[in-house]
mmCIF file of all heavy atoms in Angstrom:
data_model
loop_
_atom_site.group_PDB
_atom_site.id
_atom_site.type_symbol
_atom_site.label_atom_id
_atom_site.label_comp_id
_atom_site.label_asym_id
_atom_site.label_seq_id
_atom_site.Cartn_x
_atom_site.Cartn_y
_atom_site.Cartn_z
ATOM 1 N N ALA A 220 5.184 -1.146 -6.893
ATOM 2 C CA ALA A 220 4.334 0.044 -6.942
ATOM 3 C C ALA A 220 2.975 -0.181 -6.278
ATOM 4 O O ALA A 220 2.476 0.688 -5.565
ATOM 5 C CB ALA A 220 4.152 0.494 -8.391
ATOM 6 N N PHE A 221 2.378 -1.356 -6.488
ATOM 7 C CA PHE A 221 1.044 -1.601 -5.915
ATOM 8 C C PHE A 221 1.062 -1.654 -4.397
ATOM 9 O O PHE A 221 0.042 -1.408 -3.750
ATOM 10 C CB PHE A 221 0.429 -2.887 -6.484
ATOM 11 C CG PHE A 221 1.034 -4.160 -5.965
ATOM 12 C CD1 PHE A 221 0.547 -4.765 -4.825
ATOM 13 C CD2 PHE A 221 2.090 -4.762 -6.633
ATOM 14 C CE1 PHE A 221 1.096 -5.943 -4.342
ATOM 15 C CE2 PHE A 221 2.642 -5.947 -6.167
ATOM 16 C CZ PHE A 221 2.149 -6.537 -5.021
ATOM 17 N N ALA A 222 2.198 -1.971 -3.802
ATOM 18 C CA ALA A 222 2.296 -2.141 -2.355
ATOM 19 C C ALA A 222 2.606 -0.843 -1.618
ATOM 20 O O ALA A 222 2.609 -0.811 -0.391
ATOM 21 C CB ALA A 222 3.370 -3.173 -2.031
ATOM 22 N N ILE A 223 2.861 0.226 -2.349
ATOM 23 C CA ILE A 223 3.209 1.507 -1.748
ATOM 24 C C ILE A 223 2.019 2.451 -1.889
ATOM 25 O O ILE A 223 1.495 2.661 -2.977
ATOM 26 C CB ILE A 223 4.471 2.079 -2.419
ATOM 27 C CG1 ILE A 223 5.631 1.088 -2.224
ATOM 28 C CG2 ILE A 223 4.812 3.443 -1.840
ATOM 29 C CD1 ILE A 223 6.856 1.406 -3.026
ATOM 30 N N VAL A 224 1.587 3.000 -0.760
ATOM 31 C CA VAL A 224 0.381 3.829 -0.711
ATOM 32 C C VAL A 224 0.762 5.256 -0.312
ATOM 33 O O VAL A 224 1.463 5.449 0.689
ATOM 34 C CB VAL A 224 -0.631 3.243 0.302
ATOM 35 C CG1 VAL A 224 -1.869 4.100 0.401
ATOM 36 C CG2 VAL A 224 -0.988 1.814 -0.064
ATOM 37 N N PRO A 225 0.298 6.261 -1.065
ATOM 38 C CA PRO A 225 0.569 7.653 -0.689
ATOM 39 C C PRO A 225 -0.375 8.097 0.427
ATOM 40 O O PRO A 225 -1.580 7.930 0.326
ATOM 41 C CB PRO A 225 0.299 8.432 -1.981
ATOM 42 C CG PRO A 225 -0.752 7.625 -2.674
ATOM 43 C CD PRO A 225 -0.450 6.187 -2.329
ATOM 44 N N LEU A 226 0.202 8.633 1.496
ATOM 45 C CA LEU A 226 -0.603 9.054 2.644
ATOM 46 C C LEU A 226 -0.093 10.380 3.189
ATOM 47 O O LEU A 226 1.117 10.624 3.209
ATOM 48 C CB LEU A 226 -0.526 8.005 3.762
ATOM 49 C CG LEU A 226 -1.076 6.627 3.424
ATOM 50 C CD1 LEU A 226 -0.639 5.622 4.462
ATOM 51 C CD2 LEU A 226 -2.577 6.668 3.305
ATOM 52 N N CYS A 227 -1.009 11.213 3.660
ATOM 53 C CA CYS A 227 -0.612 12.455 4.311
ATOM 54 C C CYS A 227 -0.005 12.105 5.681
ATOM 55 O O CYS A 227 -0.105 10.974 6.155
ATOM 56 C CB CYS A 227 -1.818 13.385 4.472
ATOM 57 S SG CYS A 227 -3.065 12.786 5.634
ATOM 58 N N HIS A 228 0.598 13.097 6.303
ATOM 59 C CA HIS A 228 1.234 12.874 7.603
ATOM 60 C C HIS A 228 0.248 12.328 8.633
ATOM 61 O O HIS A 228 0.560 11.405 9.388
ATOM 62 C CB HIS A 228 1.857 14.181 8.108
ATOM 63 C CG HIS A 228 2.599 14.015 9.385
ATOM 64 N ND1 HIS A 228 1.994 14.105 10.614
ATOM 65 C CD2 HIS A 228 3.897 13.727 9.634
ATOM 66 C CE1 HIS A 228 2.880 13.905 11.565
ATOM 67 N NE2 HIS A 228 4.048 13.670 10.991
ATOM 68 N N PHE A 229 -0.970 12.863 8.657
ATOM 69 C CA PHE A 229 -1.973 12.423 9.628
ATOM 70 C C PHE A 229 -2.296 10.935 9.477
ATOM 71 O O PHE A 229 -2.404 10.217 10.464
ATOM 72 C CB PHE A 229 -3.250 13.262 9.467
ATOM 73 C CG PHE A 229 -4.372 12.854 10.386
ATOM 74 C CD1 PHE A 229 -4.358 13.208 11.731
ATOM 75 C CD2 PHE A 229 -5.442 12.113 9.915
ATOM 76 C CE1 PHE A 229 -5.390 12.826 12.575
ATOM 77 C CE2 PHE A 229 -6.477 11.735 10.755
ATOM 78 C CZ PHE A 229 -6.445 12.097 12.090
ATOM 79 N N HIS A 230 -2.446 10.452 8.238
ATOM 80 C CA HIS A 230 -2.815 9.058 8.006
ATOM 81 C C HIS A 230 -1.623 8.103 8.002
ATOM 82 O O HIS A 230 -1.808 6.892 8.122
ATOM 83 C CB HIS A 230 -3.572 8.930 6.678
ATOM 84 C CG HIS A 230 -4.935 9.508 6.731
ATOM 85 N ND1 HIS A 230 -5.348 10.508 5.889
ATOM 86 C CD2 HIS A 230 -5.983 9.256 7.550
ATOM 87 C CE1 HIS A 230 -6.597 10.836 6.174
ATOM 88 N NE2 HIS A 230 -7.002 10.092 7.181
ATOM 89 N N HIS A 231 -0.420 8.623 7.867
ATOM 90 C CA HIS A 231 0.759 7.764 7.825
ATOM 91 C C HIS A 231 1.501 7.727 9.157
ATOM 92 O O HIS A 231 1.914 6.669 9.623
ATOM 93 C CB HIS A 231 1.710 8.242 6.726
ATOM 94 C CG HIS A 231 2.874 7.334 6.481
ATOM 95 N ND1 HIS A 231 3.889 7.674 5.646
ATOM 96 C CD2 HIS A 231 3.190 6.105 6.940
ATOM 97 C CE1 HIS A 231 4.785 6.701 5.595
ATOM 98 N NE2 HIS A 231 4.378 5.745 6.385
ATOM 99 N N LEU A 232 1.659 8.876 9.787
ATOM 100 C CA LEU A 232 2.456 8.958 11.009
ATOM 101 C C LEU A 232 1.694 9.537 12.194
ATOM 102 O O LEU A 232 2.239 9.609 13.291
ATOM 103 C CB LEU A 232 3.711 9.810 10.745
ATOM 104 C CG LEU A 232 4.585 9.325 9.587
ATOM 105 C CD1 LEU A 232 5.611 10.375 9.212
ATOM 106 C CD2 LEU A 232 5.240 8.010 9.931
ATOM 107 N N GLY A 233 0.446 9.929 11.971
ATOM 108 C CA GLY A 233 -0.329 10.573 13.022
ATOM 109 C C GLY A 233 -1.424 9.689 13.592
ATOM 110 O O GLY A 233 -1.420 8.464 13.435
ATOM 111 N N LYS A 234 -2.391 10.324 14.222
ATOM 112 C CA LYS A 234 -3.477 9.606 14.890
ATOM 113 C C LYS A 234 -4.420 8.904 13.917
ATOM 114 O O LYS A 234 -5.179 8.036 14.311
ATOM 115 C CB LYS A 234 -4.272 10.563 15.780
ATOM 116 C CG LYS A 234 -3.484 11.052 16.968
ATOM 117 C CD LYS A 234 -4.318 11.937 17.855
ATOM 118 C CE LYS A 234 -3.498 12.407 19.048
ATOM 119 N NZ LYS A 234 -4.282 13.255 19.938
ATOM 120 N N GLY A 235 -4.382 9.271 12.652
ATOM 121 C CA GLY A 235 -5.255 8.652 11.657
ATOM 122 C C GLY A 235 -4.701 7.363 11.069
ATOM 123 O O GLY A 235 -5.294 6.782 10.174
ATOM 124 N N LEU A 236 -3.578 6.888 11.583
ATOM 125 C CA LEU A 236 -2.943 5.678 11.056
ATOM 126 C C LEU A 236 -3.845 4.456 11.251
ATOM 127 O O LEU A 236 -4.341 4.195 12.345
ATOM 128 C CB LEU A 236 -1.608 5.436 11.770
ATOM 129 C CG LEU A 236 -0.853 4.180 11.372
ATOM 130 C CD1 LEU A 236 -0.405 4.259 9.920
ATOM 131 C CD2 LEU A 236 0.357 3.980 12.271
ATOM 132 N N ASN A 237 -4.085 3.733 10.162
ATOM 133 C CA ASN A 237 -4.855 2.495 10.188
ATOM 134 C C ASN A 237 -4.183 1.543 9.199
ATOM 135 O O ASN A 237 -4.463 1.585 8.002
ATOM 136 C CB ASN A 237 -6.309 2.755 9.813
ATOM 137 C CG ASN A 237 -7.170 1.501 9.842
ATOM 138 O OD1 ASN A 237 -6.674 0.382 9.778
ATOM 139 N ND2 ASN A 237 -8.473 1.694 9.921
ATOM 140 N N LYS A 238 -3.292 0.715 9.694
ATOM 141 C CA LYS A 238 -2.501 -0.173 8.839
ATOM 142 C C LYS A 238 -3.392 -1.117 8.029
ATOM 143 O O LYS A 238 -3.101 -1.410 6.875
ATOM 144 C CB LYS A 238 -1.508 -0.996 9.671
ATOM 145 C CG LYS A 238 -0.421 -0.182 10.321
ATOM 146 C CD LYS A 238 0.646 0.123 9.311
ATOM 147 C CE LYS A 238 1.877 0.675 10.005
ATOM 148 N NZ LYS A 238 2.961 0.910 9.066
ATOM 149 N N GLU A 239 -4.462 -1.579 8.627
ATOM 150 C CA GLU A 239 -5.362 -2.497 7.941
ATOM 151 C C GLU A 239 -5.992 -1.822 6.711
ATOM 152 O O GLU A 239 -6.026 -2.399 5.623
ATOM 153 C CB GLU A 239 -6.446 -2.966 8.906
ATOM 154 C CG GLU A 239 -7.370 -4.010 8.330
ATOM 155 C CD GLU A 239 -8.413 -4.446 9.333
ATOM 156 O OE1 GLU A 239 -9.347 -3.664 9.612
ATOM 157 O OE2 GLU A 239 -8.298 -5.583 9.826
#
Side-chain angles (χ1 to χ4, degrees):
F221 74 89
I223 300 170
V224 178
L226 297 166
C227 68
H228 184 273
F229 178 77
H230 289 122
H231 187 187
L232 304 168
K234 292 183 180 181
L236 178 65
N237 181 340
K238 293 280 192 177
E239 185 179 73

